[in-house]
Amino acid sequence: MRLPVSPKRDLGQHFLVDENILGVIGRLAELDRADVVLEVGPGLGILTAYLADRVARVHAIELDRALEPHLAERLTGRANVDLRFGDALRLDLAALEPPPTKLVANLPYNIATPLIVESLEGLPSVQQWAVMIQREVADRLFASPSTKAYGSVSVLVQLVTERTGFHPVSRTVFRPPPNVDSALVAFRRTGLPADYPTVKRVVEAAFSHRRKTLPNSLELAGFADRPSGADALTAIGRLPETRAEALEPSEFVALAEALR
């Protein structure tokens, strides 16, 4: 397939070109006519057009201005698409009107993790996610404790959401094909824990030195001294030499409370 624009390597662009995957995305996203969808990285607009024909509103955020003529042509006649250009990690997405209720996107690999993590708290109106991301990142989101993939992102995502769908994606649906596998992962908001900002800081500090015991990691991160970390672990029924990767997501909420 000949692309209308040349992908930019520095932006990590891998354009979605195979329309056969759109039905899978729509099913896992549980699209409804009343939905307001946030799409980050519309690329050539294939998914954007699909969404616009099925939901009330699409906020499409694209960094690459060179795509503007192609996207404008592709989305002609779809007045329910709000196309904006800029860095999704810098724009005030919470100010979008009407507020997005779902995040559905083929996310650029280089921003997928921070965007998902920031959306948990920063986009409270978003109730469902259906995102195409690097397979390694998809596996990390809902990894189990005491596994290599389990980390701060796993804990934060699992504290706020539950997974509702997973679908491996062939490299052939993109141009140019990426050198890594991808997956479509869907999840639904269950609610923010009390004092989530503090819990988030505890989680990030706990995993900042994952080879260390949790009290040592908290101290090295400047969050709490080692004795306080050890006392907090004891208070939640864990040994002082426990590492962060051993704790269940819910235990970090208890740990944050014990550290107060």
Side-chain angles (χ1 to χ4, degrees):
M1 174 183 180
R2 185 180 179 85
L3 297 177
V5 294
S6 297
K8 294 179 178 170
R9 187 183 298 271
D10 61 325
L11 295 181
Q13 289 177 336
H14 297 280
F15 297 130
L16 179 65
V17 296
D18 189 344
E19 298 190 13
N20 292 320
I21 194 67
L22 296 177
V24 180
I25 297 174
R27 176 172 57 81
L28 292 190
E30 300 178 7
L31 295 180
D32 184 271
R33 182 56 66 181
D35 288 338
V36 178
V37 171
L38 170 61
E39 182 193 12
V40 174
L44 300 180
I46 289 177
L47 176 58
T48 318
Y50 175 85
L51 293 169
D53 293 343
R54 288 161 178 81
V55 303
R57 190 81 177 172
V58 179
H59 297 293
I61 313 295
E62 175 56 56
L63 179 62
D64 189 0
R65 275 277 180 184
L67 293 172
E68 186 169 8
H70 175 78
L71 283 169
E73 181 180 354
R74 176 92 191 189
L75 301 173
T76 297
R78 294 180 170 92
N80 61 336
V81 176
D82 171 25
L83 179 60
R84 301 190 183 199
F85 288 87
D87 185 342
L89 293 176
R90 294 176 180 269
L91 293 174
D92 185 6
L93 301 180
L96 292 171
E97 288 291 341
T101 58
K102 293 180 179 177
L103 198 166
V104 184
N106 169 33
L107 289 178
Y109 288 164
N110 55 347
I111 68 165
T113 298
L115 184 72
I116 290 170
V117 170
E118 290 307 311
S119 70
L120 298 173
E121 181 184 17
L123 292 174
S125 62
V126 170
Q127 297 300 308
Q128 286 183 260
W129 292 254
V131 290
M132 224 151 21
I133 53 181
Q134 191 172 336
R135 175 64 187 263
E136 181 182 346
V137 175
D139 290 340
R140 199 178 301 153
L141 297 185
F142 291 93
S144 299
S146 299
T147 62
K148 184 179 179 181
Y150 188 70
S152 60
V153 173
S154 318
V155 173
L156 296 174
V157 169
Q158 292 175 49
L159 280 175
V160 181
T161 74
E162 61 181 3
R163 193 171 78 173
T164 57
F166 186 92
H167 185 85
V169 177
S170 169
R171 301 181 187 191
T172 60
V173 307
F174 307 102
R175 289 291 183 277
N179 294 322
V180 295
D181 292 326
S182 301
L184 177 63
V185 60
F187 41 106
R188 179 186 296 114
R189 184 182 295 276
T190 54
L192 282 176
D195 198 8
Y196 177 79
T198 299
V199 175
K200 182 181 179 184
R201 289 198 299 273
V202 170
V203 171
E204 291 175 341
F207 281 97
S208 62
H209 299 83
R210 64 181 296 150
R211 291 175 179 262
K212 303 288 187 180
T213 64
L214 201 151
N216 280 338
S217 187
L218 292 176
E219 184 171 76
L220 288 169
F223 187 88
D225 59 44
R226 192 187 182 287
S228 297
D231 289 345
L233 275 173
T234 300
I236 68 169
R238 288 284 191 167
L239 296 174
E241 58 267 26
T242 301
R243 290 191 172 121
E245 63 195 41
L247 268 61
E248 297 280 346
S250 60
E251 290 183 284
F252 283 95
V253 179
L255 183 68
E257 178 64 32
L259 283 165
R260 285 196 184 97

